[in-house]
Amino acid sequence: MDKVSSDCPYPGCFFCVMKEGNPSKRRASVLKFFRELPCQDEDGQVLPISGLWNTAMAHPNDPEFIELGIFECMSALIWKGLKNRRWLSHDQNIYIPYYAAHIIGSYTMNMEEFAESAVHAGVIPPLVELLRGRLTWVEQRVAVRALGHLATYASTFPAIASHGEILELSIQLAMSSLEIVYSHFYQYVDRRLSYHCDLLTRGMGGVEMESRKAEEWASQLQCWSLQLINCFAFKHEFLPTICKPEFLIKLPGMWGGLVNENSPAGIGLLRTICHQKLGRGPVASCPGIIDALCNIARSSDDWQYMAIDCLLWLLQDPNTCHKVIDKVVPVLVDLAEITTLGDHKKLGDSILNVFQECIQSQGSGRSSISSHTKEQIEDILDSKQRLKWEKNMPKEDLHIKQAAALVVKLEGNSLFSSGNIAGAASKYSEALALCPMRSRKERVVLYSNRAQCHLLLQQPLAAISDATRALCLHRPVNRHAKSLWRRAQAYDMLGLAKESLLDAILFINECSQSNDPDLSLRQNKVPDYAERLVKKQMRSAWLFREAAIKHGGVHSQGDGGDMYGPETDDSEWETASESDIGNDGRDDMGDDDDGDWNNDDQRKDYDKPSMKDIKHGYNVQLAEEEP
């Protein structure tokens, strides 16, 4: 290619070509550049490739380079890097396969016609080689991303599916990605490849930055693997390969979608599997999956509706209903009064309709329901009928019922303040039976207060149930701060770190937006009791925790011993001082039920909460005020 600028040291420089003012000449020069680049061995090739990467990221829908042969060029460059290690190790060519695969993924993520052009250009075989791990995990990350985009479209999925190993490789990568990144990069600081560090930080160096970005990229590697598997899961012929117990049991714990909101994550893939009859049987046969689905269904995150869908489909299927019904019904009963959840309308009505089907199917002899489960279903159906009756009741009668419920609630508050926790819980139950169904705000307070009693009585499952009911009744859904905090504590009692962490973070978010002086954060700082819980759960739910347990801690020169990242880095939560949230002089059990948030005078380890801990620093007291 002819030199365009006398000031440029590189013959046929891509950047000089792009400055050509004549569109026809520029297109001809770019076409020639794409054809010749893979055959050249000059220094400085990474510069135009990185420039193309920036262009692809900024303008992924621009067809110009597609028409001029960019896919053929990128495919050839990946092959060159795989086959010619001498060239790959020269200058900065080690970066080129990464950028080339990234460019393919960027240009195929939105436009089906671009994806078709990529397949015709032969990009799949070299991407598969990267997926196999022929280079490193960094190239695997962008290869699985590109293949996932190609698998999204109906016209290009068959080309992906024709490479049978892609699905198997993706499954293995989803299961092992965190361990791969930990053991090949994160663990040994002094052995990190320099080009990996450069790609991760892009000029913002430092070991801490590298480590944080490695966690993000490891999560992306997992979530893009799940996205690719999800494309296969829509086709029933691939379900036997996907629905193997060793993979299914790990799916609920795959949180890859936290980094990429468009990722299905593990729960999204389970939803795709459960949507199909062939997939529901293997899921129902794994008790651990059902337990995890139940926890996610109660959660307050973006995936809650996906877990609810899974549980409803399992209940509606006669072949799986009997396997899961005793575990699933108590959870869905807690959720039966939920209405709108994001874009998903009338979830509670859907739950009640499925319960009706369960009762009817028992009557027809198609399934068997235990007496206890049947009683739970009938109770929640009766409450729905009770709401209909209330619509025809005189207002005076409803006011009398509401006043009676208030009197009983106050009795419960008095018992709670005097230390009779079991008696208070009984009074709150009595008040709930009296309170009109449509008095949602009062019922939120009653359920939340009873949840606090269950916490003090060391009954975390009952506390989770009541807190969940309060969150479902609240408007907006899942935004009642005190119920979030109580459920976070209950999850902590059960050792469910991720669930506790999510609720604790949501609790902090709600506090920061509250006008209640007892709820609002003082000077925008995190309450120390919430800080301690979040820090504890961040350690327990650390992305690389299992890999660190298996392979050992992080090493670097001069270390006195093993080091676990989150165990030693509290900087993210060093925002609250000892004196920010202190004892305000009120009685430990609170002033009536006015929302006093006491904090112990001494900071304690949260690892082993005692009864005193719960009553003091880790306790959000009863709330009389309507939320």
Side-chain angles (χ1 to χ4, degrees):
M1 186 180 292
D2 296 332
K3 189 174 180 180
V4 177
S5 171
S6 59
D7 298 328
C8 182
Y10 299 109
C13 171
F14 174 74
F15 300 103
C16 295
V17 167
M18 293 302 294
K19 293 177 182 177
E20 170 62 56
N22 186 310
S24 298
K25 287 185 178 180
R26 186 170 70 89
R27 285 177 61 86
S29 297
V30 172
L31 178 64
K32 186 178 180 183
F33 175 83
F34 285 154
R35 287 177 178 173
E36 294 180 353
L37 183 62
C39 304
Q40 296 174 354
D41 290 323
E42 291 89 352
D43 293 347
Q45 286 183 302
V46 75
L47 293 176
I49 302 301
S50 63
L52 287 168
W53 170 74
N54 282 316
T55 300
M57 292 287 286
H59 306 287
N61 301 333
D62 189 333
E64 181 181 18
F65 290 164
I66 312 301
E67 298 166 356
L68 298 176
I70 194 170
F71 288 137
E72 289 84 355
C73 180
M74 297 303 108
S75 178
L77 287 170
I78 295 173
W79 278 125
K80 186 172 183 178
L82 291 168
K83 295 177 179 180
N84 189 341
R85 292 306 174 99
R86 181 196 57 80
W87 172 82
L88 188 66
S89 61
H90 179 67
D91 193 38
Q92 293 185 315
N93 294 340
I94 190 69
Y95 294 87
I96 289 178
Y98 169 86
Y99 283 129
H102 215 315
I103 288 167
I104 294 170
S106 295
Y107 275 123
T108 55
M109 65 182 174
N110 297 329
M111 309 293 287
E112 185 169 5
E113 57 266 37
F114 291 2
E116 293 170 356
S117 298
V119 170
H120 293 150
V123 302
I124 295 178
L127 289 174
V128 171
E129 292 299 312
L130 295 181
L131 185 65
R132 286 180 180 144
R134 285 279 301 276
L135 294 181
T136 73
W137 65 271
V138 165
E139 288 79 18
Q140 279 182 305
R141 170 179 167 269
V142 287
V144 75
R145 170 181 177 259
L147 290 168
H149 292 324
L150 293 171
T152 302
Y153 307 109
S155 61
T156 53
F157 176 79
I160 296 292
S162 66
H163 292 260
E165 64 187 315
I166 288 179
L167 178 57
E168 289 280 5
L169 289 169
S170 301
I171 291 172
Q172 288 302 316
L173 194 55
M175 290 194 292
S176 62
S177 56
L178 305 184
E179 185 176 338
I180 289 171
V181 177
Y182 181 81
S183 60
H184 287 71
F185 181 84
Y186 196 102
Q187 184 178 18
Y188 293 98
V189 176
D190 302 314
R191 300 182 194 173
R192 295 176 179 178
L193 297 178
S194 60
Y195 89 95
H196 283 182
C197 295
D198 185 50
L199 286 171
L200 283 164
T201 59
R202 292 186 178 84
M204 296 179 290
V207 172
E208 182 179 347
M209 176 63 72
E210 292 167 8
S211 298
R212 291 187 183 277
K213 290 296 291 184
E215 292 183 37
E216 180 181 331
W217 280 28
S219 183
Q220 289 174 345
L221 180 58
Q222 185 178 75
C223 83
W224 283 328
S225 300
L226 292 171
Q227 174 67 42
L228 180 51
I229 299 166
N230 196 54
C231 295
F232 283 90
F234 283 102
K235 312 291 184 180
H236 66 87
E237 61 266 32
F238 298 106
L239 286 176
T241 302
I242 298 171
C243 293
K244 294 178 180 177
E246 60 269 23
F247 178 55
L248 289 181
I249 198 67
K250 291 187 175 183
L251 269 182
M254 293 185 183
W255 278 26
L258 286 179
V259 172
N260 181 355
E261 63 181 12
N262 295 320
S263 166
I267 181 60
L269 178 53
L270 276 173
R271 182 177 183 268
T272 303
I273 293 169
C274 287
H275 192 257
Q276 302 183 66
K277 187 177 183 65
L278 189 60
R280 289 193 285 270
V283 170
S285 299
C286 294
I289 297 180
I290 304 305
D291 291 338
L293 284 171
C294 289
N295 288 333
I296 297 171
R298 280 193 175 114
S299 70
S300 304
D301 60 36
D302 294 338
W303 301 321
Q304 183 179 10
Y305 83 92
M306 296 185 183
I308 294 173
D309 281 349
C310 290
L311 297 180
L312 291 177
W313 289 329
L314 290 168
L315 277 186
Q316 288 177 295
D317 189 332
N319 296 317
T320 58
C321 179
H322 65 284
K323 296 181 181 180
V324 304
I325 190 167
D326 288 333
K327 283 189 174 182
V328 168
V329 165
V331 175
L332 292 180
V333 164
D334 291 343
L335 299 166
E337 292 191 79
I338 199 168
T339 52
T340 300
L341 188 62
D343 295 331
H344 308 278
K345 312 294 184 183
K346 299 184 178 179
L347 277 180
D349 289 346
S350 299
I351 292 170
L352 293 173
N353 291 337
V354 171
F355 283 167
Q356 288 277 17
E357 293 174 10
C358 289
I359 295 295
Q360 293 170 2
S361 65
Q362 186 196 34
S364 63
R366 287 185 292 156
S367 66
S368 177
I369 304 177
S370 70
S371 57
H372 178 66
T373 300
K374 182 180 179 183
E375 182 179 345
Q376 288 181 299
I377 293 176
E378 289 176 342
D379 283 348
I380 197 66
L381 292 176
D382 287 345
S383 68
K384 185 71 171 180
Q385 190 62 41
R386 180 178 154 193
L387 180 61
K388 292 181 180 179
W389 291 337
E390 286 179 0
K391 291 181 179 179
N392 298 320
M393 287 181 66
K395 289 185 178 180
E396 294 77 7
D397 291 350
L398 287 174
H399 290 157
I400 291 172
K401 287 171 63 70
Q402 192 165 10
L406 177 60
V407 170
V408 177
K409 184 187 80 167
L410 293 175
E411 293 174 359
N413 295 346
S414 179
L415 290 172
F416 183 93
S417 296
S418 66
N420 186 350
I421 308 302
S426 179
K427 285 296 181 180
Y428 295 137
S429 298
E430 184 180 342
L432 281 165
L434 289 169
C435 190
M437 293 293 293
R438 67 184 187 183
S439 299
R440 301 178 73 94
K441 292 183 179 180
E442 272 300 316
R443 294 173 66 221
V444 167
V445 172
L446 288 168
Y447 276 123
S448 191
N449 287 1
R450 194 171 70 176
Q452 180 64 38
C453 293
H454 289 312
L455 275 177
L456 296 173
L457 294 170
Q458 300 290 300
Q459 298 169 343
L461 290 176
I464 290 169
S465 175
D466 278 345
T468 300
R469 291 188 178 209
L471 288 163
C472 288
L473 284 167
H474 190 260
R475 294 292 178 270
V477 171
N478 294 327
R479 296 275 297 277
H480 188 238
K482 295 176 182 179
S483 296
L484 286 167
W485 178 245
R486 288 160 185 169
R487 195 170 66 177
Q489 294 178 89
Y491 279 135
D492 180 52
M493 289 181 180
L494 296 174
L496 297 172
K498 290 182 178 179
E499 290 78 5
S500 178
L501 176 60
L502 284 175
D503 277 352
I505 291 173
L506 287 169
F507 160 73
I508 290 170
N509 290 340
E510 287 306 307
C511 292
S512 66
Q513 300 172 30
S514 175
N515 294 321
D516 184 339
D518 287 325
L519 292 178
S520 59
L521 303 185
R522 302 173 191 180
Q523 298 177 0
N524 294 320
K525 293 185 178 180
V526 180
D528 63 342
Y529 53 83
E531 176 186 343
R532 288 197 298 276
L533 181 58
V534 168
K535 286 165 67 175
K536 174 192 174 183
Q537 307 303 21
M538 285 180 70
R539 290 193 293 268
S540 298
W542 182 38
L543 190 69
F544 292 134
R545 184 173 178 83
E546 290 186 12
I549 292 172
K550 181 175 180 179
H551 295 279
V554 177
H555 298 270
S556 63
Q557 288 183 353
D559 275 350
D562 287 355
M563 174 184 71
Y564 290 80
E567 299 274 357
T568 60
D569 179 17
D570 293 339
S571 59
E572 183 173 352
W573 291 99
E574 288 298 346
T575 55
S577 65
E578 296 265 349
S579 61
D580 287 330
I581 304 293
N583 194 308
D584 58 5
R586 301 186 189 182
D587 185 79
D588 285 342
M589 295 306 294
D591 232 353
D592 204 358
D593 60 345
D594 60 356
D596 177 24
W597 293 26
N598 294 320
N599 184 55
D600 211 356
D601 292 334
Q602 295 180 344
R603 293 185 65 151
K604 295 180 175 66
D605 257 338
Y606 201 87
D607 293 333
K608 295 181 180 179
S610 65
M611 185 73 80
K612 185 180 179 183
D613 291 332
I614 297 173
K615 289 181 179 178
H616 286 263
Y618 313 121
N619 178 25
V620 178
Q621 297 293 349
L622 299 177
E624 156 133 27
E625 72 287 356
E626 292 187 346

